[in-house]
Amino acid sequence: MRGWKSSFCAGVATAFCLAAFGTGAVGWSAGDRIGAGAGIEVGAAMAKSTGTRGDRQESMEAQEQQKGPKAGTEIKTVALTFDDGPHEEWTPALLDGLKERGVKVTFFLMGQNIPGKEAIVERMAEEGHLIGNHSYQHIQLTRAGTEEVCQAIERTGEMIRGLTGVKPQYVRPPYGDWNEELECQTGLTTVLWDVDSLDWKYRDQSRVVEKVCREVADGDIILMHDIFQTSKDAALDIVDRLQADGWQFVTVDELQVD
C-alpha cells in the first residue's frame, strides 16, 4: 500500500536513504489512504436559458466547473510535504502561493534553521499548515546515539512549541534514517514518503513536476524541500496540475490508516 505514516515499534523495518545534499534519497512505503466521492449535476433550468446555442453551452460548462465533479467521481487525496526549512525567502514565497490556492501542507522543520525565521514558523501555524519535527541538524540519526538524537528532537520540538503553542507529534528523520529504538524513545509518529521528487538533485522545475505527476497515486505522501526556488516553483505547478484533475491536498495527519 502507498502512503507513509509508519510506526516502527509496530514492526515496520528501518528506513534508510542516501544523503540528500549531493548523494541521494530513497522513499519507503507503508501506509495511509483516504478518498471520497462528491459532486452534483447541472439543473434542467440550464436547458431553458436564453441566448444562442453557443452561449448556452459556455454557460453550462462554466457552471459545471463551479459545481465540481459529477456524482460518483472519486476525489483523489495527496499530502505534500516539505523538509529542511524554514528558508528566509522561498518558504514565505511558497506560503503565499499555497494561500492563493487554498492548500494546506506539512512542513518538517530543522531546528538549526529556525532562529531568525520565527515569524515564518508562526505564519505556517496561523495559516493552518501542519508542522513536524526534522530534528535539529541534517545528520544520520542512527549513527548519532539514541540519547543525542532524542535531545535534538526534543530541542526542536520545544522550539516549535514556543512559537506555535503546539509540540509536533510527527517526525521525519533526515535521509529516512531511523530505527525501532529511536521510534520508541521519542514517542513520535514517523512519517516517510511514497514519491520522492528529487527536487534537491534536479533543481529543475519541469523535471520535478513531470516526475511527481507521473508517479503520484491516491493517498500518497510527496517529499519536497522548501529551501530552493526551483522546488517552490515546482510545488505550486504540481498543485495547479493536480487540482485541475480533481485532487485534494491534505496534511499528513488527515490521512487515515487502513
Side-chain angles (χ1 to χ4, degrees):
M1 177 181 294
R2 304 169 66 85
W4 276 97
K5 188 189 294 179
S6 56
S7 173
F8 288 83
C9 290
V12 178
T14 302
F16 177 84
C17 59
L18 301 175
F21 294 96
T23 55
V26 178
W28 297 72
S29 64
D32 317 62
R33 182 182 306 277
I34 60 177
I40 54 177
E41 298 180 353
V42 177
M46 286 296 301
K48 301 178 181 179
S49 60
T50 59
T52 66
R53 181 176 181 181
D55 292 336
R56 291 198 300 272
Q57 181 65 27
E58 290 179 2
S59 178
M60 291 177 69
E61 291 176 353
Q63 188 162 342
E64 286 276 10
Q65 293 176 355
Q66 292 175 359
K67 291 186 177 182
K70 294 181 179 180
T73 301
E74 181 182 2
I75 298 178
K76 293 171 287 187
T77 307
V78 64
L80 192 56
T81 67
F82 297 88
D83 288 5
D84 297 349
H87 186 276
E88 65 275 5
E89 183 173 2
W90 306 127
T91 304
L94 175 62
L95 288 170
D96 289 343
L98 294 172
K99 185 175 182 180
E100 291 174 1
R101 293 160 174 79
V103 168
K104 304 295 187 295
V105 303
T106 304
F107 291 95
F108 290 96
L109 304 185
M110 184 167 295
Q112 68 176 6
N113 289 336
I114 293 176
K117 308 177 193 73
E118 291 84 356
I120 299 175
V121 179
E122 292 172 348
R123 179 184 173 185
M124 289 176 180
E126 290 170 358
E127 295 183 359
H129 302 288
L130 181 65
I131 299 177
N133 194 320
H134 200 43
S135 193
Y136 193 80
Q137 294 178 302
H138 210 282
I139 61 174
Q140 290 182 241
L141 300 183
T142 60
R143 299 185 180 183
T146 301
E147 183 176 354
E148 181 180 345
V149 170
C150 289
Q151 290 176 353
I153 291 176
E154 178 68 17
R155 180 182 182 185
T156 301
E158 288 299 329
M159 293 174 73
I160 295 171
R161 177 161 65 176
L163 295 170
T164 68
V166 179
K167 191 173 183 179
Q169 297 302 307
Y170 298 89
V171 61
R172 174 173 284 160
Y175 315 120
D177 186 29
W178 201 238
N179 60 30
E180 183 177 344
E181 181 180 5
L182 291 172
E183 174 87 8
C184 295
Q185 289 292 326
T186 62
L188 301 179
T189 299
T190 310
V191 180
L192 298 181
W193 57 87
D194 300 294
V195 180
D196 188 347
S197 69
L198 296 180
D199 57 338
W200 57 269
K201 178 180 180 180
Y202 296 149
R203 307 289 182 89
D204 182 298
Q205 176 182 343
S206 297
R207 193 171 182 183
V208 170
V209 171
E210 190 278 332
K211 183 180 190 299
V212 171
C213 291
R214 181 183 70 246
E215 297 180 4
V216 70
D218 186 23
D220 275 358
I221 294 176
I222 301 171
L223 169 64
M224 299 193 72
H225 301 78
D226 54 325
I227 58 175
F228 310 114
Q229 179 179 5
T230 50
S231 296
K232 180 268 295 183
D233 293 339
L236 298 179
D237 194 353
I238 289 167
V239 169
D240 289 341
R241 295 183 185 216
L242 294 185
Q243 281 189 326
D245 286 337
W247 289 73
Q248 177 182 357
F249 286 86
V250 299
T251 51
V252 297
D253 59 331
E254 294 179 278
L255 297 178
Q256 298 177 350
V257 179
D258 286 342

